[in-house]
Amino acid sequence: MRKRLLPALLAGLINQFLVAACLGAQASDISGTWVFSITMETGARDSQETFALKLQGEKVTGLYLGPFGEKEVTGSLTGNTVVIVVEVFRDNRNVKATYTGTIESPVKMAGAIEYVGDPGARGKWTAIKRDPNAKGKGGEIFT
């Protein structure tokens, strides 16, 4: 009986490990369109921003669409930690907005935003992944 039980237990453990690895990989794929809700610590008006992201390995690229217009973004994903950087024109100068956060589920992320070079400009963000079939305000479809 022991000879049959040990292979069955090993097979079960291997199966659990593979399932967990697959689920972790799926949770970390942030490719798609995300709607970010931003709350600044300074009491500035809350805003919503849209990011169309593409993940290639650990490299994140894409587009930002929000109060600062349409901008290219870069970033990285290491484990469940995401960093997204977009250069914007703010307060009469170019600054880098850095969004650092954690993937909480395949459709939700959250973290902090900081405008590099402007120490008083920071806040919190949450992001929800948009349904790929949903259309934007102007009828555009982000992919």
Side-chain angles (χ1 to χ4, degrees):
M1 172 131 171
R2 265 190 167 166
K3 288 184 179 183
R4 289 187 211 159
L5 185 59
L6 185 58
L9 285 174
L10 285 174
L13 287 174
I14 290 171
N15 187 36
Q16 291 293 338
F17 175 76
L18 291 174
V19 167
C22 289
L23 289 175
Q26 289 174 349
S28 296
D29 186 4
I30 61 170
S31 295
T33 302
W34 294 81
V35 177
F36 280 56
S37 296
I38 313 294
T39 302
M40 299 302 292
E41 290 178 358
T42 59
R45 188 181 65 166
D46 294 351
S47 65
Q48 283 202 334
E49 303 168 350
T50 301
F51 287 80
L53 302 175
K54 183 173 184 181
L55 179 65
Q56 295 174 312
E58 291 187 349
K59 182 180 175 182
V60 176
T61 58
L63 290 174
Y64 159 94
L65 182 61
F68 299 107
E70 185 174 311
K71 307 285 184 183
E72 290 187 17
V73 302
T74 60
S76 63
L77 177 67
T78 305
N80 280 346
T81 301
V82 62
V83 177
I84 300 169
V85 178
V86 58
E87 290 192 36
V88 300
F89 189 74
R90 181 177 194 274
D91 297 331
N92 297 315
R93 60 192 165 126
N94 289 320
V95 295
K96 287 185 180 182
T98 303
Y99 301 75
T100 305
T102 303
I103 299 170
E104 297 180 356
S105 77
V107 296
K108 185 176 181 186
M109 299 188 286
I113 180 174
E114 181 176 1
Y115 289 92
V116 177
D118 190 351
R122 59 179 58 138
K124 303 284 184 201
W125 59 267
T126 58
I128 303 296
K129 194 170 191 178
R130 180 185 263 177
D131 180 334
N133 298 314
K135 294 185 179 185
K137 291 179 186 175
E140 73 275 19
I141 298 177
F142 296 95
T143 56

